[in-house]
């Protein structure tokens, strides 16, 4: 890690995440050796490539991955590594089970995402007028990939306005999960924060339903909030957060887990089953800006933010994205330029 790349930290968890991603597939989707090689390359790109901050680092990593593939599986399989390479499970809306497979027909990708977005806007009280260009679609695919994994947490790094929170809301809707967030109001303190966090933990542990907790660095009122986030990422628990009535509910609900597993239903064992439920169902999405010294200090103080999260770096939007947004804005509004400008090229 360097000051500009303080999140370039790697450990054995990252290697395990590559194989965890590969295990999300089925043999029906990846029958040929070349398909399996493309799957391996894709998972490496998601774990290691997505955190890289510039084109030079991406080119270096792509070349490293290509050379390693040639060395270990031969040129005949390495020649099948082409980009864009997207593997996802959302191309058949409403499918059960959802199959994690390579998207072969890229022409269907944008219409499918826009269909999800249309459904989200129809259901939501706060519709999002998003323009779905290729970069944004790839970020949505990365977020959905992490959300479908047990203990799937993701750190989204980018400046404000890059779409981190909007794309997370869309990805959560596509996964059919519930999303929680906090609203900072006047007088918001640690008690309010603990109550909000406890509500999410109880939903994941008592109801045993997948839930996404979206948290932005603009919502950090006290640094102690990050300490709680660090604890949830690492252990699934926050010390002294539950009241007596919450503990009783936990004991009543999770006692059956001990009975099913033939474990002695002591308080300690029951709570351990509850924490296991929380870890399996909660997904933290942290939207942070990598600019400034505050970010570097937070990574140093709370290492689980990097160690327990898959990282996705939001680079500045490409020319295609700017063109798409401009075209949408100009086509939806009548600028009343009149007929005298009709001769100008579009």
């Amino acid at each position: 890690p360097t000051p500009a790349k303080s999140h370039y930290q790697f450990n054995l968890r990252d290697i395990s995440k590559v194989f965890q991603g590969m295990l999300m597939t089925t043999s029906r989707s990846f029958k040929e050796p070349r398909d399996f090689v493309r799957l391996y390359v894709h998972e490496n790109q998601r774990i290691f490539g997505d955190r890289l901050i510039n084109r030079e680092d991406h080119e270096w990593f792509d070349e490293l991955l290509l050379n390693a593939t040639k060395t270990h599986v031969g040129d005949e399989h390495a020649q099948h590594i082409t980009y864009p390479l997207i593997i996802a499970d959302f191309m058949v809306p409403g499918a059960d089970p959802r199959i994690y497979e390579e998207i072969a027909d890229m022409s269907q990708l944008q219409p499918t995402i826009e269909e999800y977005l249309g459904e989200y806007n129809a259901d939501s009280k706060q519709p999002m007028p998003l323009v779905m260009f290729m970069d944004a679609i790839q970020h949505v695919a990365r977020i959905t990939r992490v959300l479908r994994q047990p203990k799937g947490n993701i750190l989204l790094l980018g400046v404000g306005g890059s779409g981190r929170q909007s794309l997370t809301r869309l990805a959560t809707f596509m996964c059919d999960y519930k999303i929680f967030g906090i609203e900072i109001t006047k007088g918001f303190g640690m008690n309010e924060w603990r109550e909000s966090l406890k509500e999410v933990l109880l939903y994941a542990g008592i109801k045993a339903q997948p839930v996404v907790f979206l948290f932005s660095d603009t919502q950090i009122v006290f640094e102690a909030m990050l300490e709680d986030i660090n604890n949830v990422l690492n252990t699934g628990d926050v010390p002294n957060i539950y009241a007596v009535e919450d503990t009783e509910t936990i004991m009543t609900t999770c006692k059956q887990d001990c009975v099913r597993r033939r474990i002695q239903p002591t308080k300690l064992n029951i709570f351990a089953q509850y924490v296991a439920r929380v870890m399996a169902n909660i997904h933290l999405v942290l939207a942070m800006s990598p600019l400034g010294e505050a970010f570097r200090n937070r990574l140093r103080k709370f290492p689980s933010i990097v160690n327990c999260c898959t990282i996705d770096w939001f680079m500045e939007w490409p020319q295609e994205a700017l063109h798409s947004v401009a075209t949408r804005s100009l086509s939806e509004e009548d600028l009343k330029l009149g007929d005298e400008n009709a001769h100008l090229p579009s």
Side-chain angles (χ1 to χ4, degrees), residues 203-215:
Y203 186 91
I206 300 298
K207 294 193 175 182
Q209 295 291 321
V211 58
V212 173
F213 183 53
L214 176 59
F215 183 70

Side-chain angles (χ1 to χ4, degrees), residues 140-204:
V140 170
R142 292 166 191 172
I143 297 169
T144 55
R145 173 191 170 276
V146 175
L147 295 185
R148 78 189 304 274
Q149 297 177 336
K151 302 182 183 179
N153 306 296
I154 187 165
L155 172 62
L156 306 177
L157 295 179
V159 295
S162 54
R164 296 163 301 170
Q165 297 190 50
S166 300
L167 297 181
T168 298
R169 293 182 191 282
L170 176 58
T172 304
F173 175 80
M174 290 165 63
C175 292
D176 201 21
Y177 292 173
K178 188 175 178 65
I179 189 167
F180 280 86
I182 61 169
E183 188 175 341
I184 304 299
T185 55
K186 188 176 180 181
F188 187 91
M190 281 303 292
N191 289 335
E192 289 76 13
W193 159 251
R194 286 290 182 94
E195 283 299 316
S196 299
L197 186 58
K198 183 173 72 172
E199 183 184 359
V200 181
L201 295 174
L202 288 172
Y203 186 91

Side-chain angles (χ1 to χ4, degrees), residues 36 48 62 68 126 130 143 197 205 228 244 272 298 311 333 338:
F36 199 75
F48 300 110
D62 290 348
Q126 296 177 314
L130 301 179
I143 297 169
L197 186 58
D228 291 341
V244 175
R298 284 165 179 165
I311 301 174
E333 291 184 33

Side-chain angles (χ1 to χ4, degrees), residues 54-127:
N54 54 41
R55 299 293 175 199
E56 292 77 16
D57 287 359
H58 273 282
E59 289 168 4
W60 173 86
F61 181 71
D62 290 348
E63 187 177 353
L64 177 72
L65 199 52
L66 181 62
N67 291 336
T69 307
K70 287 179 179 178
T71 302
H72 295 287
V73 299
D75 290 355
E76 70 275 13
H77 295 308
Q79 69 182 357
H80 295 293
I81 301 174
T82 54
Y83 300 100
L85 174 56
I86 301 177
I87 300 176
D89 68 349
F90 52 69
M91 289 303 288
V92 183
D96 187 24
R98 300 174 70 153
I99 307 298
Y100 188 63
E101 58 189 356
E102 183 175 348
I103 299 172
D105 187 1
M106 286 293 174
S107 64
Q108 294 300 312
L109 183 56
Q110 185 171 347
T112 302
I113 297 290
E114 287 177 344
E115 184 183 336
Y116 279 113
L117 179 60
E119 290 176 12
Y120 175 89
N121 288 338
D123 293 346
S124 175
K125 295 177 181 176
Q126 296 177 314

Side-chain angles (χ1 to χ4, degrees), residues 257-276:
D257 290 4
C258 287
V259 174
R260 277 196 299 270
R261 289 176 170 80
R262 297 181 181 179
I263 302 170
Q264 192 71 22
T266 62
K267 275 192 174 183
L268 207 60
N269 287 340
I270 294 172
F271 192 76
Q273 295 303 312
Y274 166 76
V275 170

Side-chain angles (χ1 to χ4, degrees), residues 27-41:
S27 57
R28 286 181 299 171
S29 304
F30 296 86
K31 296 178 181 178
E32 301 296 327
R34 66 173 181 271
D35 299 332
F36 199 75
V37 169
R38 286 175 65 79
L39 169 65
Y40 178 73
V41 168

Side-chain angles (χ1 to χ4, degrees), residues 220-263:
I220 300 173
V221 182
F222 312 98
E223 289 295 309
M225 295 164 76
L226 279 176
E227 188 174 346
D228 291 341
I229 291 287
N230 190 76
N231 285 331
V232 173
L233 286 169
N234 211 16
T235 63
D237 183 31
V238 177
N240 306 318
I241 196 172
Y242 299 109
V244 175
E245 57 270 23
D246 300 322
T247 306
E248 289 174 357
T249 306
I250 290 168
M251 294 298 148
T252 306
T253 307
C254 298
K255 186 175 182 180
Q256 292 302 316
D257 290 4
C258 287
V259 174
R260 277 196 299 270
R261 289 176 170 80
R262 297 181 181 179
I263 302 170

